[in-house]
Amino acid sequence: CLAVLFRIYEHPLQLREFLRHPMYYSVGHHHVKSGNHAALQFLLSHGFNADAVDAQNNRTPLVLAACRARMPAMLEMLLSSGGNPTRRDKRGLNAIDLAAAQNDCVAMQMMLEAIPEDTAKSIVTELAPNLPLSDDNQAMLGILKKYL
């Protein structure tokens, strides 16, 4: 699929414009869903918007990666390419909310560190009453200690 795009678009700037068109945002979303790191990295390096939303649910690739749980490499790729972990989907949830729902402390920590500290504190304060807490969940307790 990607090789065909490069054959069709001889000039990288044309391909970059193609990948930024809203109709093609689902291409990046598909690679997140399938866990295809190499294809997503390729798209990001050629202009795909890491904060693009799909038309159906208003979800970004970062939200999808957070839904999938345990995808730190993909999350890091999207965060470093401008993905916004505080952007909300149609249900009003953001990527941090979904990582918390998956009890994915690594993803939560990565995304909280990518945003301003006052915003991170506000999000954790909002999430705290619903977080799965137990003595054996030291990572979640560490997040609470850091941001509350």
Side-chain angles (χ1 to χ4, degrees), residues 68-100:
R68 299 279 181 274
R70 316 290 184 250
M71 299 180 83
M74 193 162 283
L75 286 170
E76 180 59 38
M77 187 186 322
L78 290 162
L79 287 168
S80 66
S81 297
N84 179 358
T86 63
R87 186 172 187 153
R88 298 198 179 273
D89 65 11
K90 282 187 178 178
R91 297 179 301 164
L93 301 172
N94 63 38
I96 300 168
D97 297 331
L98 294 167

Side-chain angles (χ1 to χ4, degrees), residues 6-123:
F6 268 99
R7 276 187 241 127
I8 294 170
Y9 290 93
E10 296 175 10
H11 303 287
L13 291 177
Q14 287 178 326
L15 179 60
R16 190 164 294 203
E17 288 177 27
F18 170 83
L19 293 173
R20 287 185 178 157
H21 191 282
M23 187 169 84
Y24 297 100
Y25 285 171
S26 62
V27 173
H29 291 76
H30 168 75
H31 291 308
V32 170
K33 288 178 185 178
S34 66
N36 191 336
H37 292 75
L40 183 63
Q41 180 61 47
F42 177 85
L43 290 175
L44 291 167
S45 68
H46 287 85
F48 178 75
N49 180 0
D51 217 23
V53 294
D54 68 2
Q56 185 176 11
N57 296 309
N58 203 39
R59 289 186 168 183
T60 67
L62 197 61
V63 167
L64 292 176
C67 286
R68 299 279 181 274
R70 316 290 184 250
M71 299 180 83
M74 193 162 283
L75 286 170
E76 180 59 38
M77 187 186 322
L78 290 162
L79 287 168
S80 66
S81 297
N84 179 358
T86 63
R87 186 172 187 153
R88 298 198 179 273
D89 65 11
K90 282 187 178 178
R91 297 179 301 164
L93 301 172
N94 63 38
I96 300 168
D97 297 331
L98 294 167
Q102 297 285 334
N103 198 24
D104 190 343
C105 298
V106 172
M108 282 182 67
Q109 188 65 41
M110 289 172 65
M111 291 184 283
L112 289 167
E113 289 175 356
I115 60 177
E117 190 171 343
D118 59 328
T119 304
K121 286 181 180 183
S122 174
I123 289 172

